[in-house]
């Protein structure tokens, strides 16, 4: 979620910066090919960032969420400073990633859980998850 907001802010700043740079170049009559390439490259990347993030942001602001639920397998990677978990939904073949997941008693490909993952309508950003015991459907880890 943080990455989505960061990309949105950077995209907006780069669009504004490239427009100012273009007007500054136009005002000084410094039309070198390298300057034009830098400005259009920055503008293209910033528009691409906005195109990727704005649809998800629209769904987040309007609170239009989908809940993907079903049998899942959780793989936890704790090699860095914080642990990262990949939720592989077996029914829909989707993979969702979350950081700083609490420790589970058992995890891996052989341990199935029942998971509910809340995502926007376009399924681009993960919002929250709930992990249930597969057999009893008791809540193990809410987030």
């Amino acid at each position: 979620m943080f990455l989505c907001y960061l990309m949105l802010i950077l995209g907006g700043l780069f669009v504004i910066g490239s427009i100012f740079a273009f007007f500054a170049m136009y005002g000084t009559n410094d039309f070198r090919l390298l300057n034009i390439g830098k400005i259009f490259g920055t503008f293209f990347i910033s528009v691409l960032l906005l195109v990727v993030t704005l649809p998800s942001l629209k769904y987040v602001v309007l609170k239009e969420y989908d809940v993907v639920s079903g049998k899942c397998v959780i793989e936890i990677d704790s090699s860095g400073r914080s642990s990262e978990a990949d939720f592989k939904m077996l029914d829909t073949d989707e993979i969702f990633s979350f950081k700083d997941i609490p420790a589970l008693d058992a995890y891996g490909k052989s341990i199935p859980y029942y998971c509910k993952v809340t995502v926007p309508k376009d399924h681009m950003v993960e919002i929250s998850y709930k992990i249930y015991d597969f057999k009893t459907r008791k809540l193990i880890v809410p987030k």
Side-chain angles (χ1 to χ4, degrees), residues 48-113:
L48 185 66
L49 284 173
L50 290 175
V51 166
V52 168
T53 57
L54 280 178
S56 291
L57 184 65
K58 178 186 79 165
Y59 291 128
V60 170
V61 169
L62 296 176
K63 297 186 189 257
E64 295 179 4
Y65 301 137
D66 280 343
V67 176
V68 180
S69 60
K71 186 176 180 181
C72 69
V73 174
I74 301 171
E75 293 184 11
I76 298 177
D77 178 24
S78 59
S79 61
R81 290 185 179 182
S82 63
S83 61
E84 183 173 319
D86 290 333
F87 287 62
K88 294 185 180 182
M89 305 300 287
L90 300 178
D91 299 335
T92 60
D93 291 331
E94 292 182 282
I95 299 174
F96 302 104
S97 295
F98 290 96
K99 291 189 183 279
D100 297 327
I101 185 170
L104 297 170
D105 292 336
Y107 58 88
K109 292 183 179 180
S110 62
I111 308 295
Y113 291 100

Side-chain angles (χ1 to χ4, degrees), residues 2 18 23 27 33 62 71-72 74 77 94-95 110 116-117 122 126 131 133-134 136 139:
F2 172 73
S18 62
F23 283 124
L33 186 60
L62 296 176
K71 186 176 180 181
C72 69
I74 301 171
D77 178 24
E94 292 182 282
I95 299 174
S110 62
K116 289 185 179 181
V117 179
D122 61 354
E126 299 87 4
I131 302 171
D133 183 74
F134 184 70
T136 63
L139 185 63

Side-chain angles (χ1 to χ4, degrees), residues 34-54:
L34 185 61
N35 286 346
I36 293 171
K38 287 179 188 177
I39 291 171
F40 281 120
T42 304
F43 185 75
F44 176 74
I45 290 172
S46 62
V47 168
L48 185 66
L49 284 173
L50 290 175
V51 166
V52 168
T53 57
L54 280 178

Side-chain angles (χ1 to χ4, degrees), residues 5 9-10 22 43 56 68 70 86 103 115 118 127 129 139:
Y5 288 123
I9 291 169
L10 287 176
F22 178 75
F43 185 75
S56 291
V68 180
D86 290 333
C115 301
T118 305
I127 296 176
Y129 63 86
L139 185 63

